[in-house]
mmCIF file of all heavy atoms in Angstrom:
data_model
loop_
_atom_site.group_PDB
_atom_site.id
_atom_site.type_symbol
_atom_site.label_atom_id
_atom_site.label_comp_id
_atom_site.label_asym_id
_atom_site.label_seq_id
_atom_site.Cartn_x
_atom_site.Cartn_y
_atom_site.Cartn_z
ATOM 1 N N ASN B 784 24.787 -16.417 -9.296
ATOM 2 C CA ASN B 784 24.312 -17.495 -10.165
ATOM 3 C C ASN B 784 25.130 -17.581 -11.453
ATOM 4 O O ASN B 784 25.460 -18.673 -11.923
ATOM 5 C CB ASN B 784 22.828 -17.295 -10.490
ATOM 6 C CG ASN B 784 21.936 -17.618 -9.300
ATOM 7 O OD1 ASN B 784 22.341 -18.355 -8.391
ATOM 8 N ND2 ASN B 784 20.733 -17.061 -9.283
ATOM 9 N N ALA B 785 25.448 -16.441 -12.004
ATOM 10 C CA ALA B 785 26.239 -16.423 -13.236
ATOM 11 C C ALA B 785 27.630 -16.993 -12.974
ATOM 12 O O ALA B 785 28.165 -17.776 -13.759
ATOM 13 C CB ALA B 785 26.343 -15.002 -13.768
ATOM 14 N N LEU B 786 28.185 -16.588 -11.863
ATOM 15 C CA LEU B 786 29.509 -17.082 -11.475
ATOM 16 C C LEU B 786 29.492 -18.604 -11.377
ATOM 17 O O LEU B 786 30.339 -19.310 -11.933
ATOM 18 C CB LEU B 786 29.872 -16.491 -10.101
ATOM 19 C CG LEU B 786 30.917 -15.378 -9.924
ATOM 20 C CD1 LEU B 786 31.391 -14.724 -11.199
ATOM 21 C CD2 LEU B 786 30.466 -14.370 -8.894
ATOM 22 N N ARG B 787 28.477 -19.103 -10.695
ATOM 23 C CA ARG B 787 28.374 -20.542 -10.495
ATOM 24 C C ARG B 787 28.245 -21.258 -11.833
ATOM 25 O O ARG B 787 28.872 -22.296 -12.060
ATOM 26 C CB ARG B 787 27.168 -20.855 -9.609
ATOM 27 C CG ARG B 787 27.051 -22.329 -9.249
ATOM 28 C CD ARG B 787 26.104 -22.523 -8.085
ATOM 29 N NE ARG B 787 25.054 -21.523 -8.108
ATOM 30 C CZ ARG B 787 24.589 -20.893 -7.042
ATOM 31 N NH1 ARG B 787 25.062 -21.162 -5.846
ATOM 32 N NH2 ARG B 787 23.620 -20.005 -7.150
ATOM 33 N N ASP B 788 27.443 -20.692 -12.711
ATOM 34 C CA ASP B 788 27.284 -21.298 -14.028
ATOM 35 C C ASP B 788 28.588 -21.304 -14.810
ATOM 36 O O ASP B 788 28.753 -22.078 -15.747
ATOM 37 C CB ASP B 788 26.200 -20.567 -14.828
ATOM 38 C CG ASP B 788 24.807 -20.900 -14.297
ATOM 39 O OD1 ASP B 788 24.708 -21.784 -13.408
ATOM 40 O OD2 ASP B 788 23.819 -20.294 -14.756
ATOM 41 N N LYS B 789 29.492 -20.448 -14.440
ATOM 42 C CA LYS B 789 30.792 -20.414 -15.103
ATOM 43 C C LYS B 789 31.827 -21.240 -14.343
ATOM 44 O O LYS B 789 33.028 -21.181 -14.642
ATOM 45 C CB LYS B 789 31.299 -18.968 -15.187
ATOM 46 C CG LYS B 789 30.558 -18.132 -16.220
ATOM 47 C CD LYS B 789 31.422 -16.969 -16.667
ATOM 48 C CE LYS B 789 30.826 -16.231 -17.857
ATOM 49 N NZ LYS B 789 30.913 -16.980 -19.113
ATOM 50 N N GLY B 790 31.364 -21.947 -13.330
ATOM 51 C CA GLY B 790 32.276 -22.785 -12.561
ATOM 52 C C GLY B 790 33.068 -22.034 -11.505
ATOM 53 O O GLY B 790 34.005 -22.571 -10.906
ATOM 54 N N LEU B 791 32.660 -20.789 -11.262
ATOM 55 C CA LEU B 791 33.341 -19.986 -10.239
ATOM 56 C C LEU B 791 32.497 -19.974 -8.973
ATOM 57 O O LEU B 791 31.280 -19.898 -9.038
ATOM 58 C CB LEU B 791 33.472 -18.549 -10.750
ATOM 59 C CG LEU B 791 34.783 -18.068 -11.402
ATOM 60 C CD1 LEU B 791 35.660 -19.221 -11.873
ATOM 61 C CD2 LEU B 791 34.470 -17.112 -12.536
ATOM 62 N N SER B 792 33.135 -20.029 -7.826
ATOM 63 C CA SER B 792 32.295 -19.999 -6.644
ATOM 64 C C SER B 792 32.514 -18.746 -5.819
ATOM 65 O O SER B 792 33.544 -18.093 -5.874
ATOM 66 C CB SER B 792 32.489 -21.268 -5.815
ATOM 67 O OG SER B 792 33.735 -21.214 -5.198
ATOM 68 N N CYS B 793 31.495 -18.428 -5.095
ATOM 69 C CA CYS B 793 31.475 -17.225 -4.249
ATOM 70 C C CYS B 793 31.374 -17.696 -2.818
ATOM 71 O O CYS B 793 30.492 -18.495 -2.523
ATOM 72 C CB CYS B 793 30.275 -16.359 -4.644
ATOM 73 S SG CYS B 793 29.854 -15.084 -3.431
ATOM 74 N N PRO B 794 32.235 -17.294 -1.915
ATOM 75 C CA PRO B 794 33.238 -16.238 -2.097
ATOM 76 C C PRO B 794 34.639 -16.758 -2.448
ATOM 77 O O PRO B 794 35.541 -15.935 -2.600
ATOM 78 C CB PRO B 794 33.275 -15.601 -0.704
ATOM 79 C CG PRO B 794 33.056 -16.758 0.211
ATOM 80 C CD PRO B 794 32.142 -17.707 -0.512
ATOM 81 N N GLU B 795 34.799 -18.059 -2.575
ATOM 82 C CA GLU B 795 36.139 -18.597 -2.798
ATOM 83 C C GLU B 795 36.859 -17.937 -3.968
ATOM 84 O O GLU B 795 38.005 -17.505 -3.847
ATOM 85 C CB GLU B 795 36.097 -20.123 -3.014
ATOM 86 C CG GLU B 795 35.717 -20.921 -1.773
ATOM 87 C CD GLU B 795 34.225 -20.843 -1.456
ATOM 88 O OE1 GLU B 795 33.447 -20.289 -2.276
ATOM 89 O OE2 GLU B 795 33.820 -21.311 -0.377
ATOM 90 N N ASP B 796 36.174 -17.857 -5.108
ATOM 91 C CA ASP B 796 36.808 -17.268 -6.287
ATOM 92 C C ASP B 796 36.539 -15.772 -6.433
ATOM 93 O O ASP B 796 37.409 -15.005 -6.804
ATOM 94 C CB ASP B 796 36.335 -17.995 -7.552
ATOM 95 C CG ASP B 796 36.676 -19.472 -7.510
ATOM 96 O OD1 ASP B 796 37.827 -19.798 -7.146
ATOM 97 O OD2 ASP B 796 35.797 -20.299 -7.803
ATOM 98 N N VAL B 797 35.324 -15.401 -6.154
ATOM 99 C CA VAL B 797 34.946 -13.993 -6.310
ATOM 100 C C VAL B 797 34.090 -13.538 -5.119
ATOM 101 O O VAL B 797 33.128 -14.203 -4.754
ATOM 102 C CB VAL B 797 34.136 -13.787 -7.616
ATOM 103 C CG1 VAL B 797 33.708 -12.329 -7.755
ATOM 104 C CG2 VAL B 797 34.947 -14.216 -8.834
ATOM 105 N N ASP B 798 34.462 -12.414 -4.557
ATOM 106 C CA ASP B 798 33.646 -11.825 -3.493
ATOM 107 C C ASP B 798 32.502 -11.035 -4.115
ATOM 108 O O ASP B 798 32.712 -10.316 -5.098
ATOM 109 C CB ASP B 798 34.486 -10.848 -2.653
ATOM 110 C CG ASP B 798 35.358 -11.568 -1.635
ATOM 111 O OD1 ASP B 798 35.067 -12.745 -1.323
ATOM 112 O OD2 ASP B 798 36.335 -10.962 -1.163
ATOM 113 N N VAL B 799 31.321 -11.166 -3.529
ATOM 114 C CA VAL B 799 30.174 -10.429 -4.057
ATOM 115 C C VAL B 799 29.490 -9.658 -2.925
ATOM 116 O O VAL B 799 29.182 -10.226 -1.881
ATOM 117 C CB VAL B 799 29.155 -11.384 -4.713
ATOM 118 C CG1 VAL B 799 27.940 -10.597 -5.206
ATOM 119 C CG2 VAL B 799 29.796 -12.147 -5.877
ATOM 120 N N MET B 800 29.277 -8.401 -3.166
ATOM 121 C CA MET B 800 28.617 -7.555 -2.163
ATOM 122 C C MET B 800 27.319 -7.012 -2.726
ATOM 123 O O MET B 800 27.270 -6.558 -3.870
ATOM 124 C CB MET B 800 29.571 -6.397 -1.838
ATOM 125 C CG MET B 800 28.973 -5.248 -1.079
ATOM 126 S SD MET B 800 29.144 -5.400 0.695
ATOM 127 C CE MET B 800 30.905 -5.278 0.831
ATOM 128 N N GLY B 801 26.272 -7.071 -1.914
ATOM 129 C CA GLY B 801 24.972 -6.575 -2.353
ATOM 130 C C GLY B 801 24.648 -5.209 -1.759
ATOM 131 O O GLY B 801 25.517 -4.527 -1.211
#
Side-chain angles (χ1 to χ4, degrees):
Chain B
N784 286 338
L786 253 11
R787 185 164 32 221
D788 287 353
K789 287 204 171 288
L791 262 19
S792 72
C793 165
E795 291 75 8
D796 300 314
V797 178
D798 280 341
V799 178
M800 166 92 66

